[in-house]
Amino acid sequence: MHKGDLGAAASIISKAQHLIALTGAGISKESNVPTFRGEDGLWRKYNVMDLATPSAFARNPQLVWEWYSWRQDLIAKCSPNPAHHTLVKWERKGVLKSLISQNVDGLHRRAGSSNVHEVHGNLWAVKCTSCTHLGRLSSPAQGIPECPSCGAKLRPDVVWFGESLDNAVMQQVYAELERADVIIVVGTSALVHPAASFPLVVKQRDGRLVEVNIEETPLTPSVDVHLKGKAGELLPKLDALLKSDTVS
Ligand code: APR
């Protein structure tokens, strides 16, 4: 494994036939979106069992909606950063074939990414707790939103701890993992499954792994190149090298 070798990463990416990306909260850190773990992570300040589980919502839907409304308000003021924009550029150049994100902040789509699989849902999406209604909020929730179809409580359409990921999304994700020969993993602690195992699916098929993170993770020993640093700084540098790499 090369540590911090931008050239090696650029070489792997420029030779990729089917590059995909997996992102986590770290890619949005430079957009001022708090991560979950690390020194100022959300799970350091809040108890996930009170806020991000089905039983938490059943127990106190008002508290859960207050927390999600606070996150919606915060994220509405955030903007994509150069890391998001680099992935958009690679998608438009045909370099990046698809983007799998654990993030619910919607910043990849706001930056212009279109082939995005939001495996943990989206902060603005809502679903009815009783009927099949699905919807999207256009502004931070006020109180407990009610279903326009049946009047029951709406909940955030995100994947809470203890819940499984959407089958249709997972089918698309695994189809991508089966086609990928390179995966770039940006800003995830690689602790939460099944997303944490996605890069290993690519590796098991002799694919190459590039990791971008400010620190090492449980995935680091398995990657071909670990680029230590901020995504918003390293991805544009990687992009610049790609250009020179393709010219040679
Ligand atoms: N650039 C790159 N990486 C960064 C940066 C940065 N500027 N800042 C932080 N990181 C890294 C951290 O080192 C850490 O490895 O981003 C990672 C963030 O990890 P988490 O906070 O655990 O976020 P994530 O991996 O996305 O969590 C996965 O857990 O709580 C659930 O559903 C939630 O989707 C989330 C899942």
Side-chain angles (χ1 to χ4, degrees), residues 40-107:
D40 59 351
L42 290 172
W43 300 145
R44 291 289 178 95
K45 298 176 192 138
Y46 302 98
N47 181 348
V48 61
M49 299 314 287
D50 293 340
L51 297 167
T53 65
S55 52
F57 186 79
R59 191 168 53 244
N60 191 340
Q62 177 69 29
L63 174 68
V64 171
W65 267 117
E66 279 170 11
W67 191 63
Y68 275 88
S69 179
W70 169 77
R71 287 178 68 197
Q72 289 168 340
D73 188 55
L74 180 140
I75 279 162
K77 297 173 182 133
C78 298
S79 304
N81 69 60
H84 297 103
H85 292 305
T86 300
L87 296 185
V88 174
K89 193 175 183 179
W90 288 0
E91 177 184 314
R92 289 177 180 164
K93 282 171 63 178
V95 172
L96 181 69
K97 303 300 183 189
S98 68
L99 169 49
I100 302 163
S101 186
Q102 301 171 86
N103 301 340
V104 297
D105 59 31
L107 290 183

Side-chain angles (χ1 to χ4, degrees), residues 159-199:
V159 179
W160 280 330
F161 286 97
E163 294 186 317
S164 53
L165 279 61
D166 178 88
N167 282 334
V169 171
M170 288 303 283
Q171 277 173 15
Q172 292 164 359
V173 164
Y174 276 99
E176 280 303 303
L177 295 173
E178 292 298 323
R179 294 176 66 189
D181 60 335
V182 179
I183 183 166
I184 184 168
V185 183
V186 186
T188 183
S189 56
L191 292 171
V192 176
H193 289 269
S197 60
F198 292 167

Side-chain angles (χ1 to χ4, degrees), residues 147-227:
C147 176
S149 308
C150 75
K153 293 187 187 71
L154 293 176
R155 56 158 281 185
D157 193 359
V158 297
V159 179
W160 280 330
F161 286 97
E163 294 186 317
S164 53
L165 279 61
D166 178 88
N167 282 334
V169 171
M170 288 303 283
Q171 277 173 15
Q172 292 164 359
V173 164
Y174 276 99
E176 280 303 303
L177 295 173
E178 292 298 323
R179 294 176 66 189
D181 60 335
V182 179
I183 183 166
I184 184 168
V185 183
V186 186
T188 183
S189 56
L191 292 171
V192 176
H193 289 269
S197 60
F198 292 167
L200 301 178
V201 174
V202 178
K203 186 168 183 69
Q204 277 151 15
R205 294 179 43 256
D206 297 327
R208 310 292 294 280
L209 277 53
V210 174
E211 182 179 39
V212 178
N213 201 309
I214 54 171
E215 60 190 16
E216 298 199 357
T217 71
L219 183 68
T220 305
S222 308
V223 304
D224 295 273
V225 180
H226 173 79
L227 299 178

